[in-house]
Amino acid sequence: MGRAERAIVIGGGIGGLTAAVALHRRGARVTVLERAPSLEPVGAAISLAPNALRGLDAIGLGDDIRALSAWQGDGGLRAPSGRWLSRTGAAAAEERFGGPLVLLHRATLIDHLAARLPPDSVRTAAAAHLVDPGEAG
Ligand SMILES: Cc1cc2nc3c(=O)[nH]c(=O)nc-3n(C[C@H](O)[C@H](O)[C@H](O)COP(=O)(O)OP(=O)(O)OC[C@H]3O[C@@H](n4cnc5c(N)ncnc54)[C@H](O)[C@@H]3O)c2cc1C
């Protein structure tokens, strides 16, 4: 980008904030419109797989997040009955997918993303509405 272009990102979730940081790093003046009254995320924890962490590498955040916590030991998925659907270990997963699985609080990830944007670039309680100008323009 040769000059500061404007970008509007609708939604201040993980996806929107990541896009906003990427645009900001490319020199755009970004505004994030989030309809919720705050950026406080729904849900508690999130596990970030190596491909997600490589996505965060693209905006310079991957290593900061990797440093927070990594899954250790064994884990997997169970059916409601308790029967194991799949089981694996952190070391096996790391070898297979090329990196650790990082478990962290969603709010921590949101905070790290928002901190990489200039102050006042996120507007909460700001719902965007699509407008169709119609054929007459
Ligand atoms: C129970 C559960 C567990 C999960 N666990 C994991 C996990 O462990 N690891 C993982 O990688 N993924 C996980 N996911 C998936 C992950 O949470 C989502 O892929 C991710 O949060 C999507 O982010 P997003 O920003 O695209 O969307 P969202 O988080 O849905 O954010 C969209 C935002 O846009 C706002 N918005 C919508 N419309 C408007 C509008 N018109 N104007 C303004 N704002 C608007 C909404 O308020 C919202 O804040 C899980 C999902 C669920 C449901």
Side-chain angles (χ1 to χ4, degrees):
M1 278 181 210
R3 61 191 167 81
E5 293 189 49
R6 292 224 53 174
I8 307 290
V9 175
I10 300 174
I14 295 166
L17 290 175
T18 301
V21 173
L23 288 161
H24 168 62
R25 284 166 59 94
R26 293 196 59 187
R29 287 171 53 212
V30 186
T31 300
V32 179
L33 302 179
E34 170 52 55
R35 66 184 172 189
S38 78
L39 286 185
E40 195 173 311
V42 175
I46 190 165
S47 60
L48 295 179
N51 59 340
L53 291 163
R54 284 194 284 275
L56 294 177
D57 283 336
I59 59 166
L61 186 54
D63 284 342
D64 284 4
I65 298 300
R66 282 185 191 90
L68 293 176
S69 87
W71 169 37
Q72 296 168 359
D74 293 335
L77 295 173
R78 287 181 191 261
S81 65
R83 182 174 62 86
W84 284 102
L85 297 171
S86 71
R87 289 183 85 166
T88 187
E94 184 162 347
E95 187 179 329
R96 180 166 182 193
F97 299 114
L101 193 78
V102 172
L103 306 170
L104 74 162
H105 201 271
R106 278 178 184 263
T108 305
L109 179 57
I110 292 285
D111 287 349
H112 273 76
L113 288 165
R116 278 169 168 72
L117 291 170
D120 302 328
S121 47
V122 178
R123 292 192 204 158
T124 53
H129 299 279
L130 291 180
V131 175
D132 183 352
E135 287 183 11

